[in-house]
Amino acid sequence: MAGREFTQKDIDIFNKLAPESGGSVTSEWGHTYPFILRPISHKFVESSEDFKQRIDRLTPDELDYLVELALDNKEDIRSMEPEDIEVLMDMISEKISDERAKQLKQHLGIV
């Protein structure tokens, strides 16, 4: 799964999820992050509860945008921390629909 070049919408969502990044979407090694959720899960959050609070900042439209990216294989969900994947699926069910969460789980091969 190759990364992508972030759009302004991607940058806005990333900054909403990780305001401590100071608007940067670049890792400490100088590489632009290829995805939004994976670095949030691995580099910024301290717990699954922290991840949940961050994801809760997103509007349903922003969250659905991330689901759509994942369905298009442009967002990496599989490499996130397992407990963060669970939180993400719960938030998708809550903010969008159970059907949308089910669609993403099927796409990812999560039963």
Side-chain angles (χ1 to χ4, degrees):
M1 178 181 303
R4 65 184 192 288
E5 203 166 304
F6 276 17
T7 64
Q8 188 58 51
K9 184 172 189 168
D10 296 329
I11 293 167
D12 292 345
I13 290 172
F14 189 90
N15 289 327
K16 191 181 236 189
L17 295 173
E20 66 271 38
S21 70
S24 173
V25 293
T26 306
S27 74
E28 60 269 24
W29 298 286
H31 303 289
T32 301
Y33 290 119
F35 306 105
I36 297 170
L37 292 173
R38 186 172 69 189
I40 300 300
S41 177
H42 288 288
K43 305 219 180 288
F44 292 97
V45 302
E46 296 179 19
S47 66
S48 57
E49 183 57 36
D50 182 14
F51 184 77
K52 181 179 181 178
Q53 290 172 355
R54 290 169 187 260
I55 294 297
D56 199 34
R57 296 174 191 163
L58 298 178
T59 66
D61 284 347
E62 289 168 332
L63 188 56
D64 198 52
Y65 172 75
L66 292 175
V67 171
E68 198 56 45
L69 287 175
L71 291 171
D72 289 342
N73 296 316
K74 294 178 182 174
E75 184 60 41
D76 184 10
I77 305 292
R78 289 182 187 92
S79 297
M80 291 169 46
E81 295 297 331
E83 56 274 9
D84 293 344
I85 294 172
E86 193 174 314
V87 165
L88 180 65
M89 294 304 168
D90 289 347
M91 294 299 284
I92 292 167
S93 288
E94 185 181 311
K95 288 189 159 204
I96 305 169
S97 69
D98 289 336
E99 187 55 42
R100 195 67 161 148
K102 182 180 175 187
Q103 184 183 15
L104 182 56
K105 284 179 184 178
Q106 287 176 335
H107 178 75
L108 297 173
I110 300 170
V111 179

